[in-house]
Amino acid sequence: MSVAPEPPWALLAELTHGCPLRCAYCSNPVKLNSRSEELTGDEWGDVLRQAADLGVVQTHLSGGEPLLRRDLRDIVAAADAAGIHTQLVTSGVGLHEARLAGLVDAGLRSVQLSVQHADPARADLIAGARATGAKERAARLVREAGLPLGLNAVLHRANLDALDALVELGLDWGADRIELANTQFYGWALRNRDALLPDPDQVDRARGTLERWRARLGGRMELVWVAPDYVDATAKPCMGGWGAVSLTVAPDGTVLPCPAAAELLGADAPNVRDRPLDWIWRESPAFTRYRGEGWMREPCRSCELRTVDFGGCRCQAHALTGDAARTDPACHRSPDHGVVRALVEAARGPAPDHPGYAYREGGT
Amino acid sequence: MREAVAGERPSGAAGPNAAEDELVRPDWRPVLARSVVLRRDRVRGADLLLLPERVVVLRGAAAAIVALCDGERDVAGIVAELRRRHPGAPVGDEVPVFLGRLRAERWLR
């Protein structure tokens, strides 16, 4: 038996898979939960109280688009009453002045807004919807409400060369922080991988741009870089380790060690409708399966990086090799790394005029 | 993301605007920014500052100092209160520096 795990710090609450946007890079699962399967507001309140008792102090209220939940204000209030710090993760579509005021009143502390591209037409193509106007308005309202504003820009082939404009947009909109998050290939992003995967030279150029902006901004606006693991040939310390730091609750109450783990776990994924969150975190087979280092094989088992990257991402190992206990193929030391390298090499060269994304269906 | 901040020994590891440390005036009435929450974590037995993307674990006297930042007391009042609680401690030197660091991080305003 393994020792009792440390308590979790954070909970990602995916309140709905419904979304007015259909972003090609979305990490939601290809098989989306329907609105009728979603937890009720009362069930979310209960989940958040259980999470607080377990040690959770932060929640990211996400989706899909969490503003599609009419009871979002009650969910925020329940989190705040349980002592959990709340951040809304939104497309900005549907964030009107009165709505935001209600959320702030309920205890909302921070907003993270997605941006797809600084150029509206290109942003629309990536998002599969028109949203730039709504986003600009949402940013203004968040600033006026006195909440910190973070922007999240998922980076890929069609926007890595436009980083300057994204940073300028962040300054223009008064953001405190921009997360420049290279696409991680799960869900819809995995389906669209050929269209999203950048030329490695694009990544090099973007890194240079990032360093120039960091030097110029000197902390005025924080720039966070989420590395492209395929291109860097480096396994990421996914989720800070399996079942180590945070948990995800999907719209239907499925509890996952990582937002992408639904496919890997399948029917083994526990649900808050069946079990207490405490049992799920501490004892469920789903959470203990890859916790710690006992599951590791070579080359991870004897690798000095295992305490740094925790063997990389289990979901990626599963998606690319069919075996979740193998070394993450993004790692250059993985025996399966050739698969990733071939994809990256094939991405060299100019991008086509139209990327040909597969857009998610059944959004709202 | 988690990190620790000690109250009693402000190190040189201040935020991006460390120069602001010197601008702490005795009549400033510090208060936590709206996005920052001071919380006792009963599960871990720790005092925390909760921020949008990070959690700061407060060590030593840090939580007691932050708890006095209610927007009503000024820095001189906070120092006086801590001096009353801890006679002989070097609060007059250390507390303003600590508050300046937290302001440089934009956790206090």
Side-chain angles (χ1 to χ4, degrees), chain A residues 40-51:
Chain A
T40 65
D42 285 346
E43 285 176 311
W44 275 111
D46 184 50
V47 168
L48 290 160
R49 283 185 290 275
Q50 288 191 55

Side-chain angles (χ1 to χ4, degrees), chain A residues 8-9 55 58 83 85 87, chain B residues 2 35 39 42 44 51 53:
Chain A
W9 290 91
Q58 271 180 329
H85 188 282
Q87 171 161 266
Chain B
R2 295 185 307 286
S35 60
R39 224 202 80 178
R42 52 189 197 287
R44 296 176 184 81
L51 297 105
E53 303 285 348

Side-chain angles (χ1 to χ4, degrees), chain B residues 12-34:
Chain B
N17 308 311
E20 289 179 20
D21 287 2
E22 292 159 25
L23 304 177
V24 170
R25 292 162 49 123
D27 61 349
W28 169 39
R29 299 175 191 277
V31 65
L32 283 174
R34 188 200 288 258

